[in-house]
Amino acid sequence: MSSPSEALLQLRGARKTYWMGENAIHALDGVDLDIHAGEFAAIIGSSGSGKSTLMHMLGCLDRLSEGSYTLGGEDMSVADDTQLSRIRNREIGFVFQQFHLLPNLSVQENIALPLAYSGIPRKERLERAKIMAGRVGLDARLDHRPTELSGGQCQRVAIARALIHNPRILFADEPTGALDSKTGLEILALLDQLHAEGLTILLVTHDPKVAHHAHRNITLSDGQILKDETRVPRPQSLPAREDQTHPNGHLQFGDMFRIGLREGLLAHKLRTALTLLGVIIGVASVIAMSSFSLGSKKKQADQIRALGANLVRVVDRRLEGASLYEARASGSLGLSRQDAAALRSRVPDIQRSALQRALELEVELNRRPQAEAQVLAVAGDWLEVNNLRLEQGRSISAEDQQLKNRVAVLGAGLKPKDTESLDLRIGGQPYQVIGWLENRFVDTTELEAADSSNGNYSIYLPLETALNRYTWLPLRSELDEIQLQLRDEDQLAPAGRSIRRILDTLHRGVEDFDLVIPLDLLKSKQESQKLLDLLSLAISAISLLVGGIGIMNIMLASVTERLKEIGIRRAVGARKPDIRRQFLVEAILISMCGGLAGIGLSIGIVSLASIPLAIPVVFSPGVILVAFAAAFGTGLGFGAYPAIRASNQNLVDILSRE
Ligand code: ADP
Ligand code: MG
């Protein structure tokens, strides 16, 4: 700490040089100056003499080109941005000619602004601002915006803001320059009063009347001190300065969020909405497309499960005419019960098997012909293998097969409304209905698995009954299909190979059957869909990219528009990282709002579109999370450059800009 005899601020050999191309402008040209605590000094001089430059150096808004500056014993010429920001925030207050208030904040919030940059909670900030507003006579204007105030009131707000941290010294650059003379006198009276209460004041003016208020006049000319006269000696004893509270806090996340929302997004609603659109479309398309893709995959998986899981189907080619004769002449009997028995005994890991033969027979139910009905003669575990369930009655038993009973199990679609009397005739012969199947509808039109009739109109008879009670084309294969269900998926491929080998031997190499593995069909279908998935992912990525470019564009515009705001925040103590984070939070806020809206939109679109498309709705939390993360990343990535640009602005430049 400095002793009373030591100066509060001390300049030695201070120089500030601006370069205009080749020409050096020495705005300060070797200034030595001591200001002591309790002084009320005015810097005077003609326009261009370097007054403002001197104030900016003393106010830690800029650095000297040469020389040294100590404030309260601390060397300012070696301080970094963080330290200078802390000094601006807590040790000094600055009042500008143009007031430099933030237009979107109320009087109370403007006064409280510096406190935010020392991490003081909002409630306490506003309370302290209210007390300070009272000290400068603005109790009645707390909720007003700066645009609703007179110039004098604006300058009072600026003074209250400068004093909120109870600084060591108040700097004022032409504080009455923008005011009429009466209001100017009121502001001077306020400064007199504050000085009387112990505040150290250094002001700049070109007005001799204002200069006369001060107790010491320092005249500048061409960047050098021309004259320095003290009219009133400084007081010998000063009231003790209160200790600072919260000495090391920074701008809180909640404040950045509030700034981004109120002063960024909501200040330009239409612009924000348009920017959001890019992100919304990107996120919505990622989620919608992946949901459709997942939905159609699920649909296919459902179809496969309905057709039978882990199934290998051996399907007879139903040869006719010359090729049939040729096959028989070569020694193949076509698909038969012997084949099935051989496969069952020689292929390992078969869990279940079923045999099937389609019959082209007329069906009459209660005297009405059933054109849609399809008669299938079956044996083995046909219910389980085909994923069918009995709703009523019983299935075909071994005894039915043995005795070649004329019994039938019917699909749900054939069930008449009145089941009292049932008269089923197949090929003119009466059959007893012993069971009904559960209703089962699977849309298998998209899946090219052979024989995917939906089963609701099927009539199932014992295979033995059909083979023995009817006479057939003499050379026709005994069976149309052998269905083998394996224990698990991994065995499908090896089993398929050994089935083919065994049948090749039995059929003497005649190619009169096909192997169909429904799961393989699904897999190849899904393989071909991968390209489509990739394509839609690329489209979504591009629209997110476009959204991100939109964010960057808008943030760059925002930075340019808000240079003054940035300058004001920096002047009252915002560090470069505070500004950077503020704009980054704003960019991320846009992208996250877009992300959330995109998720909502996609859920709506998918739910609506899946009805006509007959696709189940599948939302993957993973995809939603990834899409949201991508939106977040877009905001972060495209917001970074504008944010860095915002924080690297030259403080004095943006503050003196009109
Ligand atoms: P005053 O406030 O006394 O009118 P200034 O401190 O604003 O004077 O300016 C002092 C000199 O420095 C002037 O010649 C001005 O043109 C020059 N100057 C001030 N700021 C800059 C700058 N950013 N770039 C170049 N020259 C500057
Ligand atoms: Mg000036």
Side-chain angles (χ1 to χ4, degrees), residues 51 66 106 151 176 454 459 490 524 539 577:
K51 305 183 297 292
E66 255 177 76
S106 69
T176 59
N454 85 32
I459 295 176
D490 295 339
S524 64
I539 293 171

Side-chain angles (χ1 to χ4, degrees), residues 33-75:
L33 179 66
D34 284 358
I35 302 284
H36 288 83
E39 282 200 75
F40 185 177
I43 297 167
I44 53 179
S46 56
S47 178
S49 57
K51 305 183 297 292
S52 293
T53 304
L54 181 59
M55 285 301 250
H56 295 151
M57 301 303 139
L58 296 176
C60 296
L61 297 169
D62 204 350
R63 288 165 185 284
L64 290 170
S65 309
E66 255 177 76
S68 74
Y69 172 31
T70 51
L71 176 69
E74 281 182 73
D75 188 355

Side-chain angles (χ1 to χ4, degrees), residues 77-149:
S77 44
V78 296
D80 61 15
D81 176 69
T82 305
Q83 289 167 302
L84 289 179
S85 301
R86 193 184 56 85
I87 303 269
R88 285 198 300 271
N89 185 222
R90 290 162 227 184
E91 309 290 336
I92 61 187
F94 215 114
V95 174
F96 301 89
Q97 181 175 351
Q98 308 90 327
F99 323 132
H100 284 336
L101 303 178
L102 292 182
N104 290 317
L105 298 188
S106 69
V107 164
Q108 194 175 12
E109 288 168 327
N110 263 295
I111 295 174
L113 188 65
L115 298 177
Y117 290 101
S118 36
I120 293 170
R122 186 173 158 83
K123 194 161 170 273
E124 186 187 334
R125 293 202 305 256
L126 293 177
E127 228 131 76
R128 282 169 66 174
K130 193 172 168 185
I131 295 168
M132 190 53 78
R135 277 185 67 187
V136 298
L138 283 172
D139 322 57
R141 296 278 186 278
L142 288 180
D143 295 327
H144 288 234
R145 292 290 162 103
T147 44
E148 299 162 352
L149 301 180

Side-chain angles (χ1 to χ4, degrees), residues 273-449:
L274 291 175
T275 310
L276 280 176
L277 216 54
V279 182
I280 293 175
I281 292 171
V283 169
S285 66
V286 174
I287 298 174
M289 289 191 191
S290 77
S291 299
F292 285 134
S293 166
L294 286 173
S296 75
K297 275 183 192 142
K298 178 172 187 300
K299 181 176 173 179
Q300 288 161 5
D302 287 348
Q303 288 163 354
I304 293 300
R305 210 169 304 121
L307 292 174
N310 302 337
L311 200 61
V312 181
R313 299 167 62 209
V314 185
V315 182
D316 187 77
R317 283 198 182 165
R318 303 199 192 182
L319 302 174
E320 281 174 20
S323 48
L324 178 62
Y325 284 111
E326 213 173 288
R328 297 295 177 260
S330 307
S332 170
L333 299 170
L335 214 54
S336 67
R337 282 173 286 182
Q338 287 93 307
D339 289 343
L343 291 174
R344 259 200 309 269
S345 68
R346 288 165 61 187
V347 179
D349 297 314
I350 290 179
Q351 194 180 15
R352 297 191 180 100
S353 64
L355 312 180
Q356 183 177 306
R357 162 82 183 256
L359 309 174
E360 273 163 40
L361 294 171
E362 306 270 304
V363 176
E364 261 183 36
L365 200 55
N366 291 346
R367 304 249 149 78
R368 264 193 295 277
Q370 305 288 321
E372 276 183 287
Q374 191 199 10
V375 183
L376 295 171
V378 290
D381 309 313
W382 61 281
L383 272 179
E384 295 87 346
V385 166
N386 290 294
N387 209 23
L388 298 169
R389 260 181 290 275
L390 269 180
E391 186 180 280
Q392 218 179 310
R394 64 175 181 87
S395 179
I396 297 164
S397 67
E399 203 186 344
D400 291 326
Q401 300 277 14
Q402 223 165 23
L403 300 176
K404 301 160 187 65
N405 286 339
R406 276 204 285 242
V407 293
V409 175
L410 272 58
L414 292 167
K415 203 167 193 171
K417 287 189 182 59
D418 163 34
T419 47
E420 292 287 291
S421 61
L422 264 181
D423 175 15
L424 174 66
R425 273 163 202 277
I426 299 174
Q429 309 222 0
Y431 271 72
Q432 185 198 350
V433 177
I434 55 169
W436 295 99
L437 295 180
E438 267 180 20
N439 184 46
R440 164 181 191 253
F441 178 79
V442 183
D443 179 8
T444 50
T445 45
E446 275 171 42
L447 204 68
E448 301 83 1

